Amino acid sequence: MPVKLLDHSHETSWDAFVHAQADGTFFHLCRWRQVIESAFKHTGYYLLHEEDRQITGILPLIHVRSRLFSDALISTPFCVYGGILAANPVAWQALEQAAVELAETLQVSYLEMRQRVSRHEGWQSKDLYYTFRKPIGSDADANFQDIPRKQRAMIRKGMQAGLRGVVDADVHRFYRVYSESVRNLGTPVFSRRYLELLRETFGNACEIVTVLHGNKPVSSVMNFYFRDEILPYYGGGIAAARSLKANDFMYWEVMRRAADRGCRMFDFGRSKLGTGAYGFKHNWGFDPAPLHYRYRLAPGAAIPDHNPLNPKYRLFIAAWKRLPLPVATLLGPSIVRGLG
């Protein structure tokens, strides 16, 4: 059959196909399957389409099972991008049909495709997320001048405070900062093991930059490298980061290091419309572009609304912010695994 499940013999050619496609992203790489299966115990169904023993299309899918939230088949959970990559319409249609049939077989509430471009006409949609992408050059001074004046002033204040950025080889300091930042936002945090798996699995394509004030970590971010792109993905700062302008300084450090490494595209990832993160990225001079998340719903199912802007989570968020950090890091992973 032209559509089959990925096995170990196709992993190298799968990733080569992803790199060759203009719409390919870091989140289409096949190693995400082993990370998500190991960290969250969800099952991956990575579909590929072949013609004359050559891959002509791929579709990463994960079956997210949850007692708290609806079961779903998502491309790709815990990632901002996903969906079908295909070299021709035949491969595209075959993969879409295979995904629909798999969703029906698994009896999930919905099938979700996370894409940068609008596809799957007739499917349900949710206009909530935006991505922020902008070219950068090889010259650090030019990149700095391209940042709006007010944000440059914030970065300079961080420099004047004596902040310095370092690359961490493991997730220890990063997780300490990141878990506190996420708790302060009222959001359950991932397990440290998940973040360790990302670092171990993707090697040099996954880099952690930590900002120190003296010897104290105040902000930290895990970044992904793909082709000539840099994507700061999981990041945050402790309470002191705000007054020190550590987050502004941190993202400048990431940009500066990425440009030196040969990156020519800075991908600030996704943010929800109307949030502080959305405004922060826009203030950096990045123009928002809508993400096209499409849903095929089972009879009687609704588009999921598992996000902090949902009013029904307001009391939960307020209570979570008051949890002691050890309690939040203990309880968080069991909740977040079902959100995807």
Side-chain angles (χ1 to χ4, degrees):
M1 297 296 291
V3 174
K4 60 180 67 176
L5 287 171
L6 171 69
D7 59 33
H8 292 303
S9 68
H10 288 92
E11 289 180 349
T12 299
S13 53
W14 173 293
D15 283 353
F17 183 82
V18 171
H19 278 273
Q21 301 303 303
D23 292 337
T25 73
F26 183 77
F27 305 104
H28 284 95
L29 297 175
C30 66
R31 283 171 288 173
W32 275 96
R33 181 178 65 171
Q34 68 190 64
V35 169
I36 293 174
E37 287 185 338
S38 296
F40 302 106
K41 309 306 178 186
H42 298 316
T43 303
Y45 296 89
Y46 274 43
L47 308 180
L48 62 89
H49 183 276
E50 283 188 317
E51 296 176 15
D52 298 325
R53 297 186 178 181
Q54 298 295 316
I55 292 180
T56 51
I58 62 101
L59 173 57
L61 291 164
I62 300 288
H63 181 199
V64 176
R65 292 162 296 173
S66 172
R67 294 179 180 178
L68 295 175
F69 309 101
S70 301
D71 280 16
L73 189 61
I74 305 175
S75 181
T76 309
F78 311 105
C79 301
V80 294
Y81 310 134
I84 297 171
L85 296 180
N88 57 58
V90 172
W92 176 276
Q93 292 169 7
L95 287 166
E96 182 185 65
Q97 182 61 33
V100 170
E101 292 174 359
L102 179 60
E104 292 172 350
T105 298
L106 296 175
Q107 298 182 321
V108 296
S109 296
Y110 60 90
L111 167 63
E112 177 181 354
M113 302 286 190
R114 299 182 176 180
Q115 303 153 141
R116 289 205 298 244
V117 294
S118 180
R119 292 186 173 124
H120 305 288
E121 185 176 351
W123 290 28
Q124 298 292 313
S125 64
K126 178 169 64 176
D127 299 321
L128 175 64
Y129 294 107
Y130 287 75
T131 189
F132 297 77
R133 291 165 55 84
K134 186 177 180 180
I136 57 175
S138 58
D139 185 271
D141 290 337
N143 289 332
F144 189 74
Q145 290 303 315
D146 199 37
I147 299 170
R149 179 177 57 84
K150 289 185 178 180
Q151 296 306 122
R152 294 203 307 269
M154 298 293 186
I155 298 168
R156 289 193 180 100
K157 287 181 180 179
M159 295 175 178
Q160 292 165 2
L163 300 180
R164 58 189 177 94
V166 297
V167 174
D168 276 333
D170 59 47
V171 305
H172 180 71
R173 290 196 295 193
F174 162 72
Y175 191 73
R176 195 166 69 232
V177 170
Y178 177 67
S179 59
E180 180 176 335
S181 175
V182 171
R183 188 278 313 271
N184 291 345
L185 292 172
T187 304
V189 71
F190 293 111
S191 69
R192 184 162 67 180
R193 183 55 187 153
Y194 166 57
L195 300 166
E196 289 172 341
L197 281 168
L198 289 171
R199 183 71 185 87
E200 294 167 5
T201 302
F202 292 107
N204 291 335
C206 177
E207 181 182 78
I208 297 170
V209 173
T210 298
V211 173
L212 304 177
H213 184 231
N215 291 320
K216 182 179 182 180
V218 290
S219 60
S220 190
V221 60
M222 176 179 282
N223 310 286
F224 298 139
Y225 286 90
F226 177 75
R227 293 191 293 222
D228 66 345
E229 302 178 12
I230 173 68
L231 174 59
Y233 201 58
Y234 294 124
I238 64 174
R242 187 181 183 93
S243 61
L244 292 169
K245 313 305 178 189
N247 288 334
D248 295 276
F249 177 84
M250 176 177 69
Y251 288 116
W252 165 243
E253 275 288 286
V254 170
M255 183 181 291
R256 181 183 64 80
R257 292 171 182 271
D260 288 345
R261 186 165 162 167
C263 290
R264 295 298 172 259
M265 176 63 69
F266 193 96
D267 188 330
F268 234 147
R270 77 177 186 187
S271 289
K272 302 177 188 73
L273 181 66
T275 63
Y278 180 102
F280 178 82
K281 295 170 184 179
H282 191 49
N283 290 340
W284 265 69
F286 287 69
D287 293 327
L291 287 172
H292 302 277
Y293 287 12
R294 296 291 181 262
Y295 302 84
R296 185 178 176 93
L297 305 176
I303 294 176
D305 192 16
H306 310 315
N307 76 81
L309 298 178
N310 188 333
K312 75 178 186 179
Y313 294 128
R314 182 174 55 197
L315 293 178
F316 172 87
I317 291 170
W320 197 270
K321 290 179 179 179
R322 296 193 294 269
L323 286 179
L325 188 57
V327 176
T329 54
L330 177 65
L331 299 179
S334 62
I335 298 173
V336 77
R337 70 175 298 276
L339 292 173

